[in-house]
Amino acid sequence: MRLTKYGHACVRIDDGDRALVIDPGVYSEPVSFDGVAAVLVTHEHADHVDLDLLRAARERNPELTVHTHPGLAAELGDGVQAVSPGEVFTAAGFTVRAVGGEHAEIIDGLPGCANVGFVVDGVYHPGDSLFVPSEPVETLLIPAAGPWLKIGDAIRFAHAVRPRRTFPIHDGVLNELGLRQFDAWLGGEERIGYTRIPLGDTAVL
């Protein structure tokens, strides 16, 4: 299985002729859609779903399946599959479990929107959440920056999930100094197998 890092929160998972993309937002590259059979969207914020890119991809491939939480599924219209936390489904041939349910709080209950994380054959993408799933996680995609996150939160999250390997996502708003700082802190945590996948590169799982 191969994991490719695209802009900000977007990753692509390939295994043989199976391929899906998670959270292709406005900071992501259109190439992330090439040849995928399914799209998983954690929530409606633009850095996680570029509606124009998604619409164009669905026009190019009417068989493309899209899976997201019920509120966003209703907004996106026909052919979008609504999934709720706890549900297990198949997307592009991968077994996926939806987990979590709520966006992490910034302040005073905001932004207060739904957020479903996805565990795809042992790879966990939490979206904008620090929800710890009940099942074992082989590969954690850990948010690196956001108005709802600090580095200590990320470290505690990784310790709670206990993955074999950890790769950062949600890092499009960090400059080089911020990236180095996050890598230095997380890289010092030996128990989580932390490393960074350079933008556009692929890790073999």
Side-chain angles (χ1 to χ4, degrees):
M1 193 158 67
R2 303 184 310 280
L3 178 73
T4 303
K5 172 73 168 72
Y6 287 106
H8 195 54
C10 180
V11 298
R12 173 178 169 136
I13 299 175
D14 290 83
D15 188 15
D17 59 357
R18 303 182 298 164
L20 62 76
V21 64
I22 308 175
D23 279 6
V26 295
Y27 305 130
S28 308
E29 296 78 6
V31 69
S32 63
F33 282 98
D34 289 355
V36 302
V39 181
L40 310 182
V41 179
T42 62
H43 66 289
E44 58 262 39
H45 290 160
D47 57 331
H48 292 259
V49 58
D50 184 322
L51 296 179
D52 291 336
L53 280 182
L54 181 59
R55 187 177 301 112
R58 296 181 72 193
E59 289 174 355
R60 290 194 306 272
N61 178 12
E63 296 184 358
L64 182 71
T65 63
V66 181
H67 308 262
T68 188
H69 66 78
L72 182 56
E75 181 181 332
L76 293 177
D78 293 343
V80 177
Q81 306 297 310
V83 294
S84 297
E87 289 188 34
V88 177
F89 60 98
T90 300
F94 296 94
T95 299
V96 184
R97 181 168 180 244
V99 300
E102 296 183 5
H103 192 291
E105 182 183 33
I106 298 173
I107 191 171
D108 296 336
L110 297 174
C113 65
N115 178 101
V116 289
F118 298 107
V119 182
V120 183
D121 285 355
V123 178
Y124 178 32
H125 190 308
D128 280 5
S129 167
L130 298 178
F131 179 83
V132 178
S134 58
E135 67 262 49
V137 169
E138 290 287 308
T139 302
L140 173 62
L141 305 176
I142 191 166
W148 46 272
L149 179 72
K150 60 184 180 182
I151 290 177
D153 296 331
I155 293 173
R156 283 187 286 271
F157 175 53
H159 287 174
V161 175
R162 296 184 296 176
R164 285 185 55 200
R165 63 183 73 86
T166 303
F167 302 117
I169 59 169
H170 212 270
D171 53 5
V173 297
L174 293 177
N175 61 17
E176 287 299 320
L177 179 60
L179 294 173
R180 290 199 301 270
Q181 183 182 64
F182 189 83
D183 290 350
W185 276 100
L186 274 290
E189 300 295 318
E190 296 180 358
R191 292 178 285 170
I192 63 173
Y194 178 85
T195 188
R196 177 175 294 279
I197 305 173
L199 187 64
D201 281 6
T202 298
V204 178
L205 306 182

